[in-house]
Amino acid sequence: LKDKKVGLHVIGTPKSIAEALLIKTTICILKEEGYSDLSLEINNVGGKESLNTFIKELNNYYKKHLSEMNSQCRQLFKDSAHSLILCKDQIKNEIVENAPSPLNFLSESNRNHFKEVVEYLESQEIPYEINKDILGDPNYSSHTVFSIFDRKTGKILATGTRYNNIGKKIGLKKD
């Protein structure tokens, strides 16, 4: 497992404990592999409506700041505002810090879902940090997204997300 990236994802259950168990399992696997100084960063991008509203606001926000970006960042923005994460070190800190957070666009049920995930992590004494810049892939990610880092190297060891909206995107009748 050393020098590999572990990617685990939740499919098929609406319960918030699924993400929390996935995170706990991933941390256990990484510790078994000898990683001892792990950092968990999580976020919640919400369901389809919340995510669409957030992406619209994020695009509008960064459009206002395009003139303050270099050509590489402007090119990335043409692909998607999500892509700007790749060049956030090249954008002024206050622009990045003031960018909209997906947490601000969550519906009440999405907020409750995320609250349950966080409560479970806390009950298992799993330390975490909420990071608004962890967004997952806008084509399939929903709800909780996470990354686990090796603090010593800063390397991403694991990522995860929920796929609630992917079923209909691939032609199924249900998500």
Side-chain angles (χ1 to χ4, degrees):
L1 195 59
K2 296 267 190 227
D3 298 323
K4 302 268 187 217
K5 187 171 156 182
V6 175
L8 303 173
H9 309 277
V10 172
I11 299 174
T13 179
K15 297 186 179 191
S16 56
I17 196 166
E19 289 110 315
L21 286 173
L22 177 67
I23 291 168
K24 181 178 172 113
T25 302
T26 304
I27 289 172
C28 288
I29 290 169
L30 292 169
K31 285 183 177 180
E32 284 290 319
E33 289 297 316
Y35 293 99
S36 58
D37 196 9
L38 300 173
S39 172
L40 167 63
E41 295 184 358
I42 61 173
N43 196 10
N44 191 305
V45 296
K48 186 176 180 179
E49 286 133 29
S50 299
L51 183 58
N52 287 340
T53 304
F54 164 68
I55 290 172
K56 181 180 174 183
E57 289 299 317
L58 189 65
N59 282 324
N60 289 337
Y61 175 80
Y62 279 118
K63 277 181 189 175
K64 294 175 186 173
H65 297 283
L66 277 176
S67 64
E68 301 171 62
M69 295 180 206
N70 65 30
S71 60
Q72 178 188 8
C73 294
R74 284 193 300 270
Q75 188 62 40
L76 283 170
F77 179 73
K78 286 181 183 178
D79 294 332
S80 105
H82 273 73
S83 300
L84 287 176
I85 296 300
L86 299 173
C87 85
K88 80 175 191 180
D89 294 336
Q90 299 168 22
I91 301 173
K92 291 179 187 175
N93 277 344
E94 66 264 7
I95 293 173
V96 173
E97 288 173 11
N98 293 322
S101 169
L103 295 174
N104 295 335
F105 299 92
L106 297 180
S107 67
E108 192 62 34
S109 65
N110 292 170
R111 283 185 200 286
N112 288 335
H113 182 93
F114 191 51
K115 180 181 171 198
E116 290 171 1
V117 172
V118 166
E119 287 173 349
Y120 181 80
L121 293 174
E122 290 172 353
S123 76
Q124 296 298 302
E125 299 179 359
I126 298 172
Y128 65 90
E129 182 179 324
I130 295 175
N131 182 341
K132 73 175 184 148
D133 294 331
I134 296 177
L135 302 175
D137 187 310
N139 295 310
Y140 58 80
S141 293
S142 64
H143 299 283
T144 306
V145 291
F146 69 90
S147 293
I148 300 173
F149 299 85
D150 179 350
R151 282 194 183 138
K152 293 176 187 169
T153 65
K155 183 178 176 182
I156 297 174
L157 300 174
T159 61
T161 189
R162 183 176 274 281
Y163 290 134
N164 279 11
N165 304 322
I166 201 165
K168 286 188 179 176
K169 286 187 178 192
I170 62 171
L172 301 174
K173 292 182 181 180
K174 294 181 180 180
D175 278 332

